[in-house]
Amino acid sequence: MSAMTTARTVRPAAGVRAVRPAPVVRDASTRAARPTGPSSTLHLTRRGRLVVWTVAALVALGVGGAAGAWADGPAAAPEVRRVVVAPGDTLWGIAAEAASPGEDVRDVVLELMALNELPSGGVQAGQTVVVPAR
């Protein structure tokens, strides 16, 4: 066998007519009008651009409106006084002195525990306890 290959002609089967594809004619005008990259696949109409801008404006107003709701600032801190625990004092006794007339002392004890970040109701002599001024 020789080093050259020979081209073979393929003939259609009997009764089948060979069909040639239509030639593709390209000129400079068709190449320039065709999109050239993936970024040019989206074409918005005038109405589409209007919708996109409207949605963007509504989102911007929504974010700005939500930020205005949080601009009130922190809540005012309650007025407090500091009490130094004397020997024999209990949190219950301090709460009873700090409670307003008719106020449940148990609620004041829980408030003092939360305000002073106490894990239990026990206090020690010399400890400073923050008590709401009433």
Side-chain angles (χ1 to χ4, degrees), residues 47-120:
R47 183 186 301 172
R49 285 190 297 272
L50 178 67
V51 169
V52 169
W53 280 106
T54 303
V55 169
L58 290 175
V59 168
L61 287 174
V63 171
W70 296 323
D72 294 338
E79 289 187 37
V80 295
R81 59 185 174 94
R82 297 184 187 278
V83 175
V84 178
V85 179
D89 281 349
T90 62
L91 193 60
W92 184 271
I94 296 170
E97 290 176 9
S100 301
E103 188 174 16
D104 192 0
V105 178
R106 293 175 290 191
D107 293 337
V108 178
V109 169
L110 292 174
E111 183 181 0
L112 290 178
M113 288 176 61
L115 191 61
N116 292 288
E117 299 177 352
L118 298 173
S120 66

Side-chain angles (χ1 to χ4, degrees), residues 25-49:
V25 178
R26 295 186 186 188
D27 59 350
S29 65
T30 57
R31 275 188 250 133
R34 181 173 290 167
T36 57
S39 63
S40 62
T41 58
L42 178 66
H43 297 285
L44 288 178
T45 61
R46 186 175 187 192
R47 183 186 301 172
R49 285 190 297 272

